[in-house]
Amino acid sequence: MLDWLNNFDPSIQALIATLFTWGLTALGASLVFFFKNISKKVLNAMLGFAAGVMIAASFWSLLSPAIEMAEEAGIPSWIPAAIGFLAGGAFLYGVDKLLPHLHRNQPIEEAEGIKTSWQRSILLVLAITLHNIPEGLAVGVAFGAVAANLPSASLAGAVALAIGIGIQNFPEGAAVSIPLRREGFSRFKSFFYGQASGIVEPISGVLGAILVVAMRPILPYALSFAAGAMIYVVVEELIPESQLDSNTDISTIGIMLGFTVMMILDVALG
C-alpha cells in the first residue's frame, strides 16, 4: 500500500487518505439502516473512544514530529509547538463562536454560534462537522510533511494517523445518524446527514497538504496547529458530551482504549 501511495502527489495522497476517513464516517452512519436506537452507554463509549484517539494523535502524530522538525531546523523546539498549538485552539474557538451548531441532548435554544433559523438536524450535523475540520487538516499536513523529506516525517506515520482518524470517525458517524433517526427522520435522510458531517475532511486535508508543501518552513507550526485544534474539540465538546450521564466510567474507559489504539498505530506503523 505504501509503495502504491508513493506514486502520487502529496495532495492526492491526502485526498485518498481523507476519502478513507470520510468513508468510515459513512460506514458508521449506515448503522442507522439496522438500528433505530443506540444506548447512551454505547454512545458515550464511542465518543470517549474518539476523544482518546484524537488526544493520542495530537501528541504522537503531530506535536512530537513538530518538535523534532524544529530541532532539526535549529529553532528552539518549544516555539513552533507552543505558537501553533495555541493558534489551533484559537482558530477552533473562533469557528465555534461563528458556526451555528447544537450539541447532543441540548434543546435548540442552546444552539451556539451565530443565531439562525436552521433546523435542529442541520445544527446537530454542523456540531460533528466542526470536529472533522482539524481531523482532515491533521491528515493533510502529515502527508505534506512527508513530501518535505524530513527525517521525523514518514509515509507510514501519515497512514497510521489516517487509519486512527478513520477508526474514530466510525462511531462519530453513528453518533449523528442514529439520534436523528430517533427524532423521526427517515433512515436514508439520517444516513445522508451522518455521512455529510465528514465531507469537510477531504477538503481540509487537501488544503493542509498543499499549504505545507508550498511553504515548508511553516510545517512545525502547521502540525502543532492541527494538534491544538483537535485538543480544543476534545476538551470543549467530546469529553463533556461523553460525560453527560451517570455512567462516566464507560466513557473514561473509551478514552483510554482510544488513546491506546492510536498510540499503538503510530508507534508500530510510524
Side-chain angles (χ1 to χ4, degrees):
M1 177 182 177
L2 296 184
D3 291 337
W4 176 72
L5 275 176
N6 262 326
N7 296 323
F8 296 100
D9 180 84
S11 59
I12 302 300
Q13 292 175 344
L15 176 62
I16 292 169
T18 48
L19 285 175
F20 165 76
T21 62
W22 178 25
L24 283 182
T25 301
L27 190 62
S30 71
L31 292 181
V32 75
F33 293 111
F34 307 98
F35 306 99
K36 184 175 181 178
N37 294 299
I38 185 170
S39 75
K40 290 184 178 180
K41 290 182 179 180
V42 172
L43 190 56
N44 288 345
M46 286 180 168
L47 291 172
F49 183 88
V53 168
M54 292 176 71
I55 293 171
S58 295
F59 176 74
W60 295 100
S61 300
L62 299 170
L63 277 176
S64 181
I67 291 170
E68 290 179 19
M69 289 177 190
E71 291 174 347
E72 291 163 6
I75 306 170
S77 57
W78 60 270
I79 292 179
I83 293 175
F85 187 83
L86 292 176
F91 171 76
L92 256 292
Y93 174 83
V95 173
D96 192 53
K97 297 302 178 185
L98 293 175
L99 182 70
H101 62 284
L102 179 67
H103 298 300
R104 184 173 61 96
N105 294 333
Q106 289 188 340
I108 195 167
E109 293 78 17
E110 295 187 21
E112 299 180 28
I114 296 174
K115 297 302 178 184
T116 178
S117 59
W118 292 349
Q119 294 179 343
R120 175 182 175 85
S121 58
I122 299 296
L123 296 174
L124 286 168
V125 172
L126 287 175
I128 301 296
T129 301
L130 187 63
H131 302 174
N132 291 332
I133 293 174
E135 293 171 11
L137 182 64
V139 173
V141 169
F143 278 97
V146 175
N149 295 318
L150 294 173
S152 51
S154 69
L155 185 59
V159 169
L161 176 60
I163 292 172
I165 295 296
I167 289 172
Q168 64 94 33
N169 275 357
F170 180 84
E172 280 195 351
V176 178
S177 63
I178 293 178
L180 289 179
R181 174 63 177 159
R182 193 167 58 240
E183 291 191 12
F185 286 83
S186 69
R187 292 185 190 276
F188 178 79
K189 197 169 185 179
S190 299
F191 167 75
F192 176 80
Y193 282 133
Q195 64 82 31
S197 67
I199 197 170
V200 71
E201 288 195 7
I203 298 171
S204 56
V206 171
L207 287 176
I210 292 173
L211 184 64
V212 297
V213 168
M215 294 180 284
R216 176 172 168 168
I218 71 166
L219 257 173
Y221 298 91
L223 288 165
S224 303
F225 180 95
M230 289 215 293
I231 291 298
Y232 183 93
V233 167
V234 169
V235 177
E236 168 72 10
E237 300 183 20
L238 287 181
I239 290 179
E241 286 182 32
S242 72
Q243 302 273 335
L244 285 175
D245 305 306
S246 58
N247 299 301
T248 57
D249 287 348
I250 292 176
S251 56
T252 302
I253 292 170
I255 291 173
M256 299 294 291
L257 290 175
F259 185 97
T260 302
V261 167
M262 186 64 233
M263 180 178 61
I264 291 172
L265 279 173
D266 193 271
V267 174
L269 298 180

